Amino acid sequence: MSATVTPSATSPTESAAGATPTARGSATGTAVAAAAGPAARPAPDWRIRFGALSLIWGFSFLLIKVGTEGYAPFQVTLGRLLAGTAVLAVAMTVRRERLPRGARTWGHLAVAAFFLNALPFSLFAYAELTIPSTLAGICNATSPLWGMALSLVALSEDRPTRRRVAGLGLGFLGVLTVLGAWQGFSGLDFSGTAMALLASLSYPIGWIHVRRTLAGSGSSTLALTGSQLFLGTAQIALVTPLFTSAPDGFPLLPTLAVVALGALGTGLAVLLQYGLVEEVGPTTAQMVTYFIPVIATAAGVAVLGEQLSWNTPVGALVVLAGAALTRSRARGGRAASSRASSD
């Protein structure tokens, strides 16, 4: 799930959590390398880290569901942001990263923190009060579709092609299949599903803002992401007391779920992603997006005992196929532009 997105890194969802969509920040190898820093010892094979990242982000929706069993949605979001910020703060300290400078940069980071962290994290937490974690994970997979649609309007370098338009149409047909449109969306909670889809839409809005305003800021990706998470934490910390009261206690499982959600899904996952982008490039690294809904669905069914009708996995596969089409490029002449945009 897309947790954070900065100019030099892509992120998936929920995401999130978060490396994924078409409307991602323009990446540069120098910035990514600076963020990753020198390794004291050889890192595990990139395939192992890729699998770990897929599992971490895939299980995030299960952790949200467990967290909301003991805490209010805003409290879940605050807890995960606090834990994620702490992990990145330690990484920044170890690597001696400097905070970004300039009021304009911090202002743009505040906007990014709202659309990429505070808003979607809270919406997913509220959504999972009434919808299964499996459905939330599949809704998160629509982010590339929203990103493609928005980038065609907001980013002049993204031009519509028959393949991309076909991908959008196929993807949203998959959404209708997941929701069971032919039977009047019966059995679904409309407000919860709408919040999950709105959370998925929030990510590409934030990505486009980052791409337009923070590329070439001079700060490393790690510094920008850590600062973004800090600002997101501050935003939620201001809002939470207005809508919730202090918890009566700290139940074990929900507390562990929130801490793991933040430390792993919002902290460690970002660091894993940096290494993957540096080693195998953003195109391969962001393929993790297509594993997230599969893992989220399997986790919800196997661990939480959530029910799964035939249209959910079928629709999810159609959504992923559409997302893949929106990201594909024609052969030949498009290769150069693909490399120029770090895809």
Side-chain angles (χ1 to χ4, degrees):
M1 83 197 282
S2 187
T4 55
V5 176
T6 58
S8 331
T10 54
S11 173
T13 215
E14 149 289 18
S15 67
T20 294
T22 336
R24 61 195 175 286
S26 56
T28 61
T30 302
V32 173
R41 55 185 177 182
D45 184 85
W46 73 267
R47 296 170 186 83
I48 297 176
R49 286 175 281 140
F50 183 95
L53 185 59
S54 301
L55 287 172
I56 289 172
W57 271 331
F59 269 85
S60 292
F61 299 95
L62 180 150
L63 294 175
I64 293 173
K65 174 68 78 173
V66 175
T68 55
E69 292 176 356
Y71 297 101
F74 274 131
Q75 293 169 345
V76 172
T77 302
L78 179 59
R80 73 177 292 185
L81 282 172
L82 280 171
T85 302
V87 170
L88 291 193
V90 170
M92 290 174 62
T93 301
V94 170
R95 298 172 186 179
R96 298 181 180 179
E97 295 283 354
R98 294 184 178 181
L99 293 174
R101 296 181 179 179
R104 181 182 295 272
T105 297
W106 281 92
H108 290 313
L109 283 172
V111 175
F114 176 75
F115 283 108
L116 295 172
N117 303 118
L119 179 60
F121 290 1
S122 300
L123 285 173
F124 272 121
Y126 271 103
E128 291 199 41
L129 292 176
T130 56
I131 67 172
S133 65
T134 54
L135 179 56
I138 293 171
C139 287
N140 180 74
T142 64
S143 277
L145 303 176
W146 297 119
M148 184 72 257
L150 290 173
S151 68
L152 293 178
V153 176
L155 299 174
S156 59
E157 66 268 30
D158 283 326
R159 300 296 183 185
T161 64
R162 291 181 180 178
R163 186 175 300 189
R164 289 181 169 184
V165 172
L168 285 174
L170 183 63
F172 286 114
L173 178 62
V175 173
L176 294 177
T177 303
V178 169
L179 301 182
W182 65 92
Q183 54 189 5
F185 307 106
S186 61
L188 288 178
D189 180 78
F190 176 79
S191 60
T193 305
M195 283 190 286
L197 290 172
L198 183 59
S200 302
L201 171 61
S202 177
Y203 287 126
I205 293 174
W207 292 322
I208 291 174
H209 176 79
V210 165
R211 183 171 177 175
R212 284 184 157 185
T213 61
L214 290 174
S217 65
S219 297
S220 74
T221 302
L222 180 57
L224 290 172
T225 304
S227 302
Q228 175 188 309
L229 280 183
F230 169 77
L231 290 171
T233 304
Q235 291 168 359
I236 293 298
L238 292 174
V239 171
T240 300
L242 302 178
F243 294 94
T244 65
S245 56
D248 296 329
F250 299 93
L252 181 60
L253 282 180
T255 301
L256 291 176
V258 171
V259 172
L261 181 64
L264 299 178
T266 314
L268 177 62
V270 173
L271 300 178
L272 287 174
Q273 187 189 30
Y274 289 154
L276 287 172
V277 171
E278 180 187 19
E279 184 171 343
V280 299
T283 299
T284 300
Q286 67 192 3
M287 290 296 291
V288 71
T289 304
Y290 303 111
F291 292 87
I292 293 174
V294 177
I295 295 172
T297 299
V301 172
V303 180
L304 299 179
E306 296 177 344
Q307 298 299 312
L308 193 66
S309 57
W310 69 267
N311 59 297
T312 302
V314 170
L317 290 175
V318 176
V319 168
L320 293 178
L325 270 180
T326 64
R327 301 205 67 266
S328 63
R329 295 178 182 272
R331 297 178 180 178
R334 298 295 295 275
S337 62
S338 175
R339 289 190 297 270
S341 61
S342 300
D343 190 359

